[in-house]
Amino acid sequence: PALKYSQLAAFDKAMIHLVKAYDVLADPRPHLRYEHNDHKLLAFERGGLSFFFSFHPTHSFTDYLIDWQPGSYRMIFNTDDHIFGGHGRLTADQEHRTLQENVQGPSGRHRLSLYLPNRTALVLRPEDISPAPHG
């Protein structure tokens, strides 16, 4: 019972479902959007989805600001979920909206403010994108 195989199997199943449901592999390569070596953070887009990884072994980041495309995003996956053996620090299905900073002009700068717990990954989808139809 102390082994994590069932949680790893749940993670594998959920990731395969996510990749198929959003046709992620149709996009030939990920588009790196953010990297911070000291914080051990990485963010990229692929297949219309936004992927955020915190590889930091001990430090969690609250209200971490990352420049991002303006819009509203829904968390559709996170590795900190109890079903995967995580600590449940993230709220499933949470909505994130970019914050606009007016920097010399009407366009401004758009940022996501995220809670990035240590050793976790999360996936956000823009609110205007839904899973691909199955056929």
Side-chain angles (χ1 to χ4, degrees):
L3 298 178
K4 303 281 184 176
Y5 292 118
S6 65
Q7 295 160 336
L8 181 58
F11 172 78
D12 286 346
K13 184 177 179 180
M15 277 300 300
I16 290 168
H17 173 75
L18 176 86
V19 167
K20 286 181 178 180
Y22 290 92
D23 203 16
V24 173
L25 298 180
D27 191 350
R29 52 179 244 163
H31 307 281
L32 182 64
R33 295 287 311 271
Y34 184 80
E35 179 180 18
H36 195 294
N37 290 328
D38 292 338
H39 293 170
K40 299 177 183 1
L41 299 175
L42 178 71
F44 64 87
E45 291 178 313
R46 186 167 186 184
L49 300 179
S50 302
F51 296 80
F52 302 87
F53 293 84
S54 173
F55 296 105
H56 203 287
T58 58
H59 189 75
S60 297
F61 298 94
T62 57
D63 300 321
Y64 199 89
L65 294 172
I66 300 176
D67 289 342
W68 215 255
Q69 296 288 81
S72 185
Y73 298 85
R74 175 91 36 207
M75 185 187 313
I76 58 171
F77 184 84
N78 82 81
T79 62
D80 201 46
D81 195 316
H82 288 292
I83 195 168
F84 306 135
H87 299 287
R89 296 169 287 185
L90 295 166
T91 305
D93 202 38
Q94 184 176 16
E95 181 182 3
H96 296 274
R97 293 183 183 165
T98 54
L99 307 170
Q100 183 178 3
E101 295 178 4
N102 291 326
V103 180
Q104 301 295 323
S107 61
R109 178 180 191 179
H110 294 267
R111 297 172 137 193
L112 278 172
S113 176
L114 300 172
Y115 173 43
L116 300 170
N118 64 307
R119 293 191 263 179
T120 60
L122 57 108
V123 180
L124 305 180
R125 73 163 168 79
E127 287 287 14
D128 60 346
I129 291 180
S130 56
H134 298 289

